[in-house]
Amino acid sequence: MSTGTLLEIIIPAAVVIVLIAVALALFMRRRALRERFGPEYERTVHSADSTLAAERELSAREKRHDQLDIKPLPADLRTRYAREWDDVQREFVDQPEDAVHDADQLVTSLMQARGYPTEAYDQQLKDLSVEHGRTLEHYRTAHEIDTLSKGHKATTEQLRSAMVHYRALFNELLSDGGQARHAPA
């Protein structure tokens, strides 16, 4: 077989192998992002111009998150936050709007104690999405109801629902050990 014939076989075969490898890498990356972000993956894809743009956004969130100093809470601080949550829940009986607002502040305080930046709500969502994508919708819903309650436009049932939603993220943040994310192999 001549060199020309060998090249005619080897070059297309190499191109096919490279294309398969690239497709496989993209598939694996997509699957890892879906698993990592849960429902937040679909939400981000839906709001982005393209799946690729959404995946770039999610990867950027991971990189930012890796730079944060997310840490577990010491036992005494966990106990203090749990007591404060119990106080907020008791407050709900007599002052539901105040309790929902206090729950929002307590969740924000807990995020800050764990090492999450808390300056801007949208950035909070992005930072939380990396490790808490499955409970993030709870936070969004609770925060929306808290905003309604500030204008006295939330019903008692909505306020009760906000407390349940805040509790979902609160419990996850409180119990999460804050282990560092393992980089993909």
Side-chain angles (χ1 to χ4, degrees):
M1 222 182 248
S2 72
T3 304
T5 305
L6 280 175
L7 288 176
E8 288 175 6
I9 294 171
I10 293 174
I11 291 175
V15 168
V16 168
I17 290 170
V18 167
L19 289 175
I20 290 171
V22 167
L24 185 61
L26 288 174
F27 172 78
M28 298 294 282
R29 175 177 165 233
R30 182 165 292 156
R31 191 168 94 188
L33 288 171
R34 271 195 174 115
E35 288 175 10
R36 170 120 198 174
F37 285 91
E40 187 65 14
Y41 176 88
E42 294 302 327
R43 182 184 184 87
T44 305
V45 167
H46 180 70
S47 66
D49 294 335
S50 68
T51 301
L52 191 57
E55 290 175 351
R56 275 194 299 263
E57 162 67 22
L58 294 172
S59 292
R61 291 181 193 184
E62 283 182 319
K63 286 179 184 147
R64 175 181 159 82
H65 186 273
D66 288 347
Q67 301 301 312
L68 300 175
D69 184 23
I70 307 302
K71 55 194 170 290
L73 292 176
D76 61 326
L77 204 49
R78 258 195 325 275
T79 300
R80 190 192 95 204
Y81 274 106
R83 255 194 324 269
E84 288 181 30
W85 180 259
D86 290 343
D87 292 345
V88 169
Q89 287 188 128
R90 278 191 292 280
E91 177 186 21
F92 184 82
V93 174
D94 294 323
Q95 298 170 319
E97 285 182 340
D98 291 343
V100 167
H101 182 65
D102 290 346
D104 182 75
Q105 288 180 323
L106 187 58
V107 166
T108 301
S109 174
L110 178 55
M111 289 185 320
Q112 189 171 34
R114 290 284 315 277
Y116 287 97
T118 57
E119 297 82 39
Y121 173 70
D122 288 338
Q123 189 60 52
Q124 286 177 3
L125 291 174
K126 290 176 181 180
D127 292 338
L128 286 170
S129 72
V130 177
E131 288 191 12
H132 305 284
R134 291 181 183 3
T135 55
L136 197 56
E137 195 57 36
H138 287 289
Y139 186 46
R140 278 191 182 95
T141 301
H143 191 76
E144 288 171 13
I145 295 169
D146 182 41
T147 301
L148 279 175
S149 77
K150 289 175 185 171
H152 306 290
K153 296 178 182 175
T155 67
T156 303
E157 179 55 28
Q158 286 174 312
L159 295 170
R160 185 199 66 75
S161 176
M163 292 296 291
V164 170
H165 289 300
Y166 276 129
R167 184 175 56 216
L169 179 60
F170 179 86
N171 285 340
E172 188 171 301
L173 285 167
L174 190 65
S175 66
D176 184 47
Q179 287 83 18
R181 179 172 84 78
H182 298 295

